[in-house]
Amino acid sequence: MTAAELAAELEVSERTITRDALALSEAGVPVYADRGRAGGYRLVGGYRTRLTGLARGEAEALFLSGLPEALRDLGLADAASAARLKVSAALTPSLRDAPEAVGRRFHLDAPAWYQEPETPELLAPVADAVWDDRPVRARYLRGDGEVERELQPYGLVLKAGVWYLCARAGGSFRTYRVDRFTEVVVADGERFERDPGFDLAAFWSERSAEFARSLLRAEVVLRLTPAGARRLPYVTDRAAAEEALAGATQGAADGRVTVTLPVENEEVAFGQLLGLGPEAEVLSPASLRERFAQAAHALAGIYR
């Protein structure tokens, strides 16, 4: 059929026919063009679209098609595009607009507000190792310096714009921030046997909760106004704040309460609690109370 005939049949422009025929051909569908007066577009005889024709990478990328930024970071944008094209071709005519209809109605924006996410430099080799079950030798930045680890990479998690690797190291599963890897060497021709009982979603849920709790290594004692008590869960760890408020002791008749709040350290607590302004008074530790007194004095000088 000519481009004009196809355009009339499908109620689109000839430019769209030309573009889509090229896209189909690049995706592996045997459409080709014959030039000349008797020419047009042809499909190889007997060809049928089957979803079993999806390449492995395309099939895996299809399940991430609602995460365009993640696909780009993992280098799977082209595979996902080809997979969507093949799936669309396999749908009945009445359903072929379904992918486009969904794309117009739903979009996931993973990073948090006021953050400009950056793709980790070594995400691509880490992702390749995850896909192919290949062990890696990696160098990783920790608080006390750089360490080297032999890892079996099981899965990647994108949390608030930050990529994390869940991997087995020394017989136990651990979590690593991908942007802290300084070197990743993927084993060539070697694969590890995955633990069939490993559940990435369940592991992440458990470890992220443990990680949040493990960060809270210090405590501060606060006296809060009713407004400060309401706002506390929004400026610090919500679970820690709710637990502290549940154990609060009632103070004066003005409704103030005293709480003992787990925090990461004094530096972090200062930045978080400063947002409560006069709705919170630090009672201890003395060093943090003094720091707030100095900040209050400086602010008073500015606004006097």
Side-chain angles (χ1 to χ4, degrees):
M1 297 177 69
T2 65
E5 290 171 334
L6 285 167
E9 178 72 21
L10 300 175
E11 299 180 350
V12 297
S13 68
E14 291 187 38
R15 182 184 296 272
T16 297
I17 293 297
T18 302
R19 183 195 65 205
D20 289 354
L22 178 61
L24 286 167
S25 179
E26 291 177 346
V29 179
V31 173
Y32 62 96
D34 282 338
R35 299 186 180 277
R37 298 183 63 182
Y41 289 100
R42 298 180 179 275
L43 179 67
V44 170
Y47 176 78
R48 293 290 185 273
T49 300
R50 297 180 179 87
L51 292 185
T52 52
L54 286 174
R56 179 177 180 83
E58 295 168 349
E60 292 167 336
L62 186 61
F63 291 98
L64 291 170
S65 58
L67 302 168
E69 299 300 322
L71 283 167
R72 184 202 63 200
D73 291 349
L74 293 171
L76 295 172
D78 291 341
S81 178
R84 287 194 296 269
L85 186 60
K86 290 182 179 180
V87 171
S88 297
L91 296 174
T92 60
S94 63
L95 296 177
R96 283 179 187 160
D97 67 338
E100 184 180 356
V102 171
R104 287 197 300 262
R105 288 167 172 81
F106 299 99
H107 174 70
L108 176 63
D109 185 9
W113 287 105
Y114 313 120
Q115 293 184 6
E116 192 65 34
E118 295 183 3
T119 302
E121 182 179 351
L122 296 175
L123 178 61
V126 170
D128 288 342
V130 170
W131 286 125
D132 294 338
D133 297 337
R134 294 187 183 276
V136 302
R137 186 178 72 256
R139 298 191 66 82
Y140 186 77
L141 290 175
R142 295 195 320 187
D144 56 352
E146 192 175 67
V147 297
E148 185 170 309
R149 292 287 185 266
E150 299 285 341
L151 304 175
Q152 294 180 346
Y154 268 65
L156 284 164
V157 175
L158 179 61
K159 170 73 171 179
V162 179
W163 285 97
Y164 295 87
L165 173 68
C166 301
R168 174 178 271 172
S172 62
F173 288 100
R174 302 181 183 182
T175 303
Y176 302 86
R177 278 186 60 144
V178 177
D179 58 3
R180 292 182 183 170
F181 285 117
T182 60
E183 182 183 22
V184 173
V185 179
V186 182
D188 187 18
E190 180 184 350
R191 284 184 168 84
F192 64 88
E193 186 175 346
R194 294 179 68 92
D195 180 352
F198 178 78
D199 185 324
L200 179 60
F203 171 80
W204 175 257
S205 178
E206 178 183 347
R207 288 302 175 88
S208 58
E210 290 178 359
F211 175 72
R213 289 193 298 270
S214 71
L215 290 176
L216 308 179
R217 299 169 183 160
E219 288 184 343
V220 299
V221 180
L222 307 171
R223 183 181 291 128
L224 301 168
T225 66
R230 288 193 300 272
R231 289 167 52 189
L232 185 64
Y234 299 97
V235 300
T236 186
D237 181 83
R238 177 176 289 273
E242 291 175 347
E243 184 177 338
L245 290 169
T249 57
Q250 191 69 35
D254 60 2
R256 292 174 181 260
V257 296
T258 301
V259 301
T260 300
L261 177 71
V263 295
E264 186 171 344
N265 53 51
E266 286 192 21
E267 182 70 28
V268 172
F270 177 75
Q272 293 174 333
L273 299 175
L274 200 61
L276 294 179
E279 308 302 332
E281 177 188 359
V282 176
L283 301 180
S284 69
S287 57
L288 184 59
R289 180 179 175 87
E290 176 61 24
R291 187 168 181 180
F292 269 90
Q294 293 173 1
H297 181 73
L299 285 170
I302 291 171
Y303 291 105
R304 184 166 39 237

